[in-house]
Amino acid sequence: MPDLGEHSMSEQWFADCGGLDNFLAEYWQRKPLLIRQALPGFSSPLEADELAGLALEEDIESRLIVESKASPYWTLQCGPFAEESFQSLPASHWTLLVQAVDQWVPEVHDLLRHFDFLPQWRVDDIMISYAADQGSVGPHFDQYDVFLLQADGQRRWRLGQHCDANTPLLKGPALSIIDNFEQSEEWLLEPGDMLYLPPGLAHWGIAEGECMTYSVGFRAPRASELIGDLATELLSKSSGNGSGTGELIYRDPTLTATMAKGVIDDSFIDEVKNLLLRQLDDKEQLAQWFARFMTTRKYPDLDLETEPDDDAEEHSPSSIHFDGDTLLTRHPASRFAALAGDPANLAVDGELYPCSQAFATRLADSRSLQISELGTLEVQDQALLDTLLDNGSLLIDG
């Protein structure tokens, strides 16, 4: 893997399409972009056997897709797998996909720094797929943004139509395979090449020989998911407020005798709509909930593993001596975001912590930093730093 330097390569990536600002305005969530040699000389830090080893682990999400000539054409198996699963595979036409490899392999996680031109809390994960010759997952579309980095071998990408919930899908496969793929473009990607795809665009990647592809995906929660989580939070706050004082309460519109019979009058619906909109109009409450929601870890039920030295003595964070060169790194599974305010808030792994604005912004924008970059800490900020080290969201590097 080449030394890619400390700075993002985004300026080089988007030079041919008018620069980063033009990419964000004209391409992001709108149309695809092929970036030749986005990472020159790149090769996967993970071998195919090592990727297969991750797929054996119970805590790691993985899938195996095998293509055949008969219906349902593509079959899906979900991990964890046994070693025998791989020994019985055909010589071609299959793909292994492993999610969130950035949480388990530091060299893969390090790639995320090149995508910091987008909000870090928008990142979902880096999925890695290994395909035997002619392996693919079929023509399909996703509802999220993704950068497809070719790591090893070659993959031919065919792009098709824009899709939505009404796009016909093949009957039978457990996968969402497009029934009538309409190809519009075709590109062969070599190691180091990268393809950006917006949500809803049909695509079909086929391996030419063995190949490995890294998919840097970005979170795209559905409206129902957002509403459900917000409702849960509001209910939680309501149950903690015994009398319910201060809450918005439903009230009837101006009634008439005729409204007691027949169908529900539209004025009732308007009243409910206005009540919900007034609830959402609390921007501070909405911002705090959104920060918690977007920083919740991908797998919140998995404990953060800090891998302590068995021979080392245990110390509380406040007893550790920091010098200016001490390097702090974010746990690869953790998510950080900053909120403005007085005090400001730092959202970490679904929790909000009051702190100074400078402290919140610095930690939210830095995947790693030296202690000296934080300057002289206020008492509240020092206490929060201790908390984050104690719960494993921040780690001491080295």
Side-chain angles (χ1 to χ4, degrees):
M1 186 171 177
D3 181 4
L4 302 174
E6 296 181 358
H7 301 291
S8 169
M9 299 187 71
S10 59
E11 292 184 8
Q12 299 177 39
W13 290 354
F14 307 122
D16 291 340
C17 71
L20 174 58
D21 287 340
N22 195 62
F23 167 77
L24 296 174
E26 301 294 332
Y27 289 81
W28 180 251
Q29 301 194 326
R30 292 173 177 82
K31 57 186 180 181
L33 179 67
L34 175 64
I35 307 170
R36 290 292 186 191
Q37 289 304 288
L39 297 179
F42 180 81
S43 64
S44 176
L46 206 63
E47 299 291 336
D49 288 345
E50 295 173 306
L51 187 68
L54 291 177
L56 306 180
E57 299 293 333
E58 185 176 352
D59 291 335
I60 298 180
E61 186 180 355
S62 58
R63 291 167 291 161
L64 190 59
I65 298 173
V66 181
E67 185 179 355
S68 62
K69 294 181 180 179
S71 179
Y73 305 108
W74 285 272
T75 57
L76 169 67
Q77 303 173 50
C78 295
F81 297 101
E83 291 185 15
E84 294 76 18
S85 302
F86 300 112
Q87 295 171 357
S88 59
L89 286 170
S92 65
H93 292 84
W94 60 268
T95 302
L96 172 67
L97 306 104
V98 181
Q99 297 288 156
V101 181
D102 52 296
Q103 294 193 19
W104 309 100
V105 181
E107 294 85 354
V108 174
H109 181 266
D110 189 52
L111 288 171
L112 289 175
R113 63 194 172 95
H114 297 296
F115 298 88
D116 285 350
F117 57 89
L118 295 161
Q120 293 180 20
W121 46 264
R122 285 279 281 109
V123 173
D124 186 18
D125 71 344
I126 298 180
M127 180 189 76
I128 299 181
S129 65
Y130 168 82
D133 183 38
Q134 300 303 303
S136 83
V137 300
H140 67 286
F141 66 97
D142 303 307
Q143 291 293 5
Y144 54 84
D145 301 271
V146 63
F147 289 89
L148 300 165
L149 173 65
Q150 192 61 26
D152 288 328
Q154 297 176 319
R155 188 184 292 271
R156 186 172 299 277
W157 285 102
R158 299 172 178 172
L159 306 188
Q161 68 270 38
H162 284 274
C163 304
D164 56 28
N166 298 316
T167 299
L169 303 177
L170 282 180
K171 296 180 180 179
L175 299 158
S176 298
I177 305 295
I178 296 171
D179 188 22
N180 185 23
F181 180 74
E182 302 169 5
Q183 182 173 322
S184 59
E185 295 182 272
E186 179 177 308
W187 290 311
L188 180 66
L189 267 63
E190 307 274 356
D193 292 342
M194 187 165 68
L195 176 62
Y196 163 71
L197 296 179
L201 183 66
H203 53 284
W204 188 357
I206 303 173
E208 299 201 351
E210 297 179 33
C211 83
M212 194 176 291
T213 304
Y214 285 37
S215 301
V216 183
F218 290 77
R219 301 182 68 189
R222 300 177 184 274
S224 57
E225 185 183 354
L226 294 170
I227 292 170
D229 192 85
L230 177 58
T232 299
E233 175 152 324
L234 293 175
L235 286 170
S236 176
K237 288 184 177 180
S238 176
S239 64
N241 180 12
S243 62
T245 56
E247 284 192 74
L248 296 176
I249 306 295
Y250 169 81
R251 294 288 183 263
D252 284 327
T254 301
L255 298 180
T256 64
T258 59
M259 294 166 67
K261 306 291 185 181
V263 299
I264 296 175
D265 192 89
D266 283 348
S267 58
F268 288 104
I269 307 304
D270 291 338
E271 193 66 30
V272 169
K273 178 181 177 181
N274 289 334
L275 175 68
L276 295 176
L277 289 175
R278 278 161 41 215
Q279 180 69 65
L280 294 175
D281 200 40
D282 186 337
K283 190 171 182 179
E284 181 179 2
Q285 173 184 260
L286 197 63
Q288 292 181 355
W289 158 76
F290 185 67
R292 281 192 287 263
F293 178 85
M294 292 303 290
T295 59
T296 299
R297 298 197 305 273
K298 184 175 179 67
Y299 304 111
D301 293 334
L302 291 181
D303 292 333
L304 295 180
E305 297 182 5
T306 56
E307 300 182 358
D309 185 346
D310 293 336
D311 296 327
E313 296 183 19
E314 292 188 4
H315 299 279
S316 66
S318 58
S319 71
I320 299 174
H321 174 70
F322 297 118
D323 59 38
D325 294 329
T326 299
L327 186 65
L328 302 178
T329 62
R330 189 184 306 174
H331 191 286
S334 288
R335 292 169 169 165
F336 285 53
L339 279 179
D342 187 17
N345 278 285
L346 179 66
V348 181
D349 297 337
E351 298 291 339
L352 276 185
Y353 301 96
C355 59
S356 71
Q357 188 69 68
F359 186 81
T361 303
R362 172 61 76 175
L363 285 187
D365 288 346
S366 305
R367 297 186 183 277
S368 64
L369 77 165
Q370 291 182 325
I371 280 284
S372 58
E373 296 178 55
L374 294 174
T376 302
L377 294 179
E378 299 177 14
V379 173
Q380 186 179 42
D381 296 345
Q382 181 63 60
L384 175 52
L385 180 61
D386 292 346
T387 296
L388 297 178
L389 287 166
D390 189 49
N391 65 23
S393 298
L394 277 181
L395 307 173
I396 299 173
D397 194 348

